[in-house]
Amino acid sequence: MTSPPRPDDAHPYLRAASAGIRHHTRALAPPDADPPRPVDRVHLDVLHAHLTALLQLLDRLADHTRPPHPAAGRHLATAHTRLWQATTEVHAAFHLLPGTPQADAETSACYPERLPEGPPVLTICQRHLAAGHVVRRKTTPTDLRPHTTACVR
């Protein structure tokens, strides 16, 4: 018989993912003398992959929480919608950044038999479309519309 995990041992992979993001955030902060490095498409692609994984997790958590605790499930569903909005903005920012000359050359000379998933620049689009399909099955267009919090005068 195994003993139940201690509270500090629960969900070690989520803690490791959070620690990795914190480490990456600190690594992006330049020393005072250095100018900040610009964000590149690789950073946004990896961040987008992380956000879509979080979307799947929030979706499952909301589904499991909703029957016994409807109010908590609604809050998780709302968090899922807001995270989808953030994921959409990261996807849009990815396409607004210039590609590296090497990546552009690889994309234009793509050989489908070598890359079964398609050109590297399109993997983010495929991931985004797949996540969007799941999101749109469970939310309404009104829910997906960004909410403004600014005061209009």
Side-chain angles (χ1 to χ4, degrees):
M1 182 168 144
T2 62
S3 61
R6 295 183 338 214
D8 59 341
D9 286 337
H11 313 293
Y13 296 114
L14 280 175
R15 272 199 316 284
S18 298
I21 289 174
R22 283 191 303 273
H23 173 76
H24 188 71
T25 302
R26 283 191 300 269
L28 284 176
D32 293 334
D34 295 338
R37 293 183 316 201
V39 174
D40 59 5
R41 281 182 155 190
V42 174
H43 279 105
L44 293 184
D45 187 26
V46 173
L47 178 60
H48 188 271
H50 187 77
L51 290 173
T52 55
L54 281 174
L55 277 168
Q56 291 174 350
L57 178 61
L58 268 176
D59 190 34
R60 296 243 171 98
L61 288 173
D63 285 348
H64 294 335
T65 304
R66 194 173 291 122
H69 307 286
R74 283 192 300 275
H75 280 286
L76 289 173
T78 300
H80 181 267
T81 300
R82 301 296 180 267
L83 185 60
W84 169 249
Q85 292 166 341
T87 304
T88 299
E89 296 302 328
V90 169
H91 179 250
F94 174 89
H95 286 293
L96 292 174
L97 288 177
T100 61
Q102 178 185 5
D104 291 341
E106 289 173 3
T107 301
S108 63
C110 178
Y111 299 100
E113 65 275 3
R114 292 186 200 165
L115 295 170
E117 69 277 3
V121 74
L122 295 181
T123 56
I124 190 172
C125 295
Q126 292 168 346
R127 183 184 326 117
H128 195 72
L129 287 171
H133 178 72
V134 172
V135 168
R136 285 183 180 89
R137 277 188 310 156
K138 295 187 174 192
T139 54
T140 66
T142 303
D143 291 337
L144 295 177
R145 208 170 296 129
H147 297 279
T148 58
T149 56
C151 180
V152 179
R153 293 182 186 200

